[in-house]
Amino acid sequence: MGSRSAEGEQSSLADDYDALISTTDVELLKRAWRNEKAAPEILRFESDLINRVKGQIELMEETVEEKLSVGSDPLSVSLYQMDLDRTLFLLRSYLRIRILKIEKYMFHIRKTQELWNRLSRDEKLFTERCTDDLKEHLESSVLSKLPENYQSYERQSVISEEDDMVPEPRLDTFVLCRSKEYLTGIQLEDGPVDDRSKLFEMEPDVLYFICYKSIKPLVESGKIDLL
Amino acid sequence: MAGQSNHELSLFSAEELEFIAEDEIVDIVPNLKMDPLCLISGDFGPFTPQIVTQVPLWLAIALRRRGKCSIVPPQWMTVDKLTEVLEAERNSQEMSEHLPFHYVEISRLLFDHARDNIPDAYMFISLVKVRSLIEDIRDVRFHKVETDLEAFDGRTFAVKIKNLSAMEVNIVRPFIGRALQAFYKHDSSDLIPDPERVSDRRPQVAHNAPRRQLRR
């Protein structure tokens, strides 16, 4: 992309800013899509990015309509359409992956504040309706007919210590990741630190398979990409 | 459908990998005149006959299929370069760093759509030779990956992979993920740790520290 690299060279500011202004929204969306696909839990909803992309898509749809009606060169119109289709695919796939995760872990998301905060407004509405419907269905078809101590949809029985009927995502799955810069000080595996624990380091642009739990904060801050 | 590739197999379907690879930039020689395209993915053009232009691969293929350009094969895709790479792959346990991340997808797309890129002033390609070289390279590399995977044991808690390509990564990902998971689960604090033992070092499996004892 000619214009993109020219922009990058002219900027004399810090590397971060360089990377920011020379990355298109489509690239950012692709990155968010990949991260979401690879992560076991639902990640923060990129509302700014999605709004911008939606705006660009609408603009492009209008442009294509206009070009069609004016009778422009059909080749360039079809190329614009292809680009539009590609961007739409990314957007749809991103949203669908999130919905898939919500459907899998809806009760867990509903009761965990940290995860709840990661949803968009529409996703929150969706989750509420889903959990209400599912809860009602479970209660009316099965739970109300069980003996009294076993009627909760969250726990096996009244004596359970925690909500053991609520599925949770496995944060200790191993994921493939890559960092853009040299990272040190990653603590592998949570748990008490004893003096033999070494801190892990990551070279830039090399692929690593690591336990997701260990790099969770780095993914959230954007320093590590999942593949 | 957009979100629903089969999770049991690999994270990304083959088509999705191709989709990702199609954003890579290649050189084309257009044979038409066209104004710049201001797409959502970026601005490309203007297009002038016989002037080399950079565009994403999907755009290059779209133009090629309509006969509006010819695609300049990338630097690494010549018989000479690939023969070099194959030799290097055969002689060393390390992976060659001269192949781009998406070399499998890019070469497949170019074979399918730009097959009759006639020998021109820039490069001469013997297509059959290039294709067979790439397949040999794939085999050698994959064999190396398989032997390296045998080095896994309970000490492995992170795996470092240098220069593996997108397609290869996608294929081994489920296996490595589940293998590491199983080791993680079974090799827990119930076992007595042996801090002196250091396992074999292979180029691609990194044991960065002696394993700590997990305490519950």
Side-chain angles (χ1 to χ4, degrees):
Chain A
M1 301 189 187
S3 58
R4 185 154 68 88
S5 53
E7 266 184 316
E9 276 160 358
Q10 285 165 15
S11 167
S12 53
L13 300 173
D15 282 321
D16 272 346
Y17 187 59
D18 259 348
L20 204 61
I21 60 171
S22 59
T23 310
T24 62
D25 279 342
V26 171
E27 301 249 329
L28 289 173
L29 180 58
K30 199 155 78 157
R31 190 173 160 262
W33 172 66
R34 280 164 111 150
N35 281 0
E36 197 72 63
K37 238 186 192 276
E41 55 170 6
I42 198 164
L43 301 172
R44 199 181 61 81
F45 185 72
E46 306 272 352
S47 46
D48 291 335
L49 174 63
I50 299 292
N51 285 338
R52 289 201 308 267
V53 170
K54 273 195 196 160
Q56 289 184 32
I57 289 180
E58 279 166 8
L59 194 60
M60 188 60 82
E61 281 175 338
E62 282 171 18
T63 314
V64 169
E65 286 252 346
E66 203 191 297
K67 282 184 189 276
L68 274 176
S69 62
V70 161
S72 321
D73 169 30
L75 171 64
S76 75
V77 171
S78 77
L79 294 175
Y80 277 99
Q81 186 65 45
M82 278 179 79
D83 176 63
L84 192 57
D85 289 337
R86 288 176 67 91
T87 315
L88 273 171
F89 169 76
L90 278 178
L91 182 63
R92 285 187 185 131
S93 196
Y94 176 72
L95 294 173
R96 284 207 177 119
I97 295 169
R98 291 178 64 90
I99 290 189
L100 223 85
K101 284 188 193 172
I102 290 178
E103 284 177 351
K104 245 168 129 175
Y105 303 117
M106 63 174 97
F107 288 118
H108 183 243
I109 291 177
R110 188 94 177 69
K111 68 184 178 93
T112 312
Q113 193 60 36
E114 186 200 343
L115 294 180
W116 182 251
N117 290 342
R118 293 185 189 170
L119 301 184
S120 74
R121 208 173 42 99
D122 293 323
E123 286 170 348
K124 284 180 180 166
L125 279 171
F126 172 72
T127 315
E128 273 171 3
R129 284 183 7 227
C130 258
T131 48
D132 289 343
D133 285 347
L134 190 56
K135 179 164 173 260
E136 201 188 296
H137 168 69
L138 287 173
E139 282 172 355
S140 65
S141 55
V142 176
L143 292 175
S144 54
K145 305 188 169 83
L146 294 177
E148 213 180 286
N149 285 353
Y150 298 90
Q151 283 185 356
S152 159
Y153 70 97
E154 281 171 322
R155 298 179 177 211
Q156 284 198 54
S157 78
V158 163
I159 53 172
S160 301
E161 287 162 4
E162 35 172 49
D163 294 342
D164 42 10
M165 290 307 281
V166 172
E168 291 183 21
R170 294 206 58 176
L171 295 183
D172 55 3
T173 40
F174 281 81
V175 293
L176 187 65
C177 62
R178 173 172 60 190
S179 129
K180 290 180 275 239
E181 11 172 90
Y182 194 73
L183 292 176
T184 55
I186 303 176
Q187 172 95 45
L188 276 181
E189 298 158 314
D190 65 328
V193 179
D194 55 53
D195 37 9
R196 270 186 3 236
S197 72
K198 276 255 204 79
L199 295 179
F200 192 63
E201 44 184 46
M202 281 177 72
E203 293 164 40
D205 287 334
V206 176
L207 299 174
Y208 291 89
F209 254 100
I210 305 187
C211 185
Y212 176 74
K213 242 193 306 201
S214 319
I215 53 166
K216 201 162 104 102
L218 290 164
V219 173
E220 278 161 24
S221 67
K223 293 233 160 93
I224 289 189
D225 289 338
L226 301 177
L227 291 189
Chain B
M1 285 180 101
Q4 295 175 13
S5 48
N6 191 341
H7 295 283
E8 311 312 317
L9 300 176
S10 325
L11 196 63
F12 293 103
S13 72
E15 291 87 4
E16 286 170 339
L17 276 186
E18 211 175 67
F19 178 79
I20 297 173
E22 280 173 340
D23 282 329
E24 297 283 312
I25 303 292
V26 293
D27 288 334
I28 59 164
V29 179
N31 56 22
L32 83 170
K33 194 159 161 50
M34 198 163 66
D35 288 334
L37 293 171
C38 301
L39 305 172
I40 303 180
S41 345
D43 300 331
F44 308 105
F47 300 93
T48 325
Q50 308 310 321
I51 305 289
V52 175
T53 325
Q54 271 91 32
V55 293
L57 188 53
W58 63 269
L59 187 53
I61 291 181
L63 287 173
R64 176 89 186 91
R65 290 175 75 174
R66 293 166 172 80
K68 303 292 182 191
C69 77
S70 67
I71 305 183
V72 177
Q75 294 276 357
W76 52 271
M77 219 169 135
T78 61
V79 174
D80 294 331
K81 197 75 172 77
L82 288 174
T83 320
E84 253 179 60
V85 168
L86 184 56
E87 276 306 303
E89 295 278 1
R90 284 194 172 133
N91 293 338
S92 150
Q93 192 60 20
E94 303 263 336
M95 294 288 193
S96 163
E97 52 190 24
H98 296 293
L99 290 175
F101 190 53
H102 293 284
Y103 80 94
V104 178
E105 299 91 293
I106 296 178
S107 55
R108 164 63 68 83
L109 282 167
L110 289 178
F111 287 140
D112 287 344
H113 299 288
R115 195 166 317 181
D116 39 333
N117 249 15
I118 299 118
D120 51 18
Y122 300 106
M123 284 181 202
F124 176 79
I125 295 184
S126 165
L127 263 180
V128 172
K129 193 83 172 64
V130 167
R131 189 171 211 155
S132 76
L133 277 170
I134 290 192
E135 283 182 14
D136 289 339
I137 291 176
R138 276 181 75 176
D139 287 334
V140 170
R141 286 170 67 105
F142 210 73
H143 185 68
K144 278 199 262 195
V145 171
E146 285 174 333
T147 45
D148 279 332
L149 289 183
E150 288 168 11
F152 276 22
D153 62 9
R155 303 289 155 190
T156 315
F157 50 79
V159 178
K160 182 163 128 172
I161 307 180
K162 258 194 153 139
N163 300 323
L164 211 58
S165 79
M167 187 77 76
E168 290 153 3
V169 150
N170 199 42
I171 292 176
V172 300
R173 189 208 313 263
F175 172 73
I176 294 186
R178 285 204 283 269
L180 286 176
Q181 196 87 30
F183 281 126
Y184 186 78
K185 198 168 69 163
H186 296 299
D187 203 46
S188 67
S189 59
D190 297 330
L191 300 179
I192 300 169
D194 185 354
E196 303 325 306
R197 182 185 143 192
V198 174
S199 28
D200 293 342
R201 283 194 165 264
R202 295 276 192 118
Q204 268 154 272
V205 176
H207 305 224
N208 279 27
R211 186 168 172 114
R212 303 184 277 128
Q213 178 189 9
L214 282 179
R215 276 192 269 134
R216 285 271 163 94

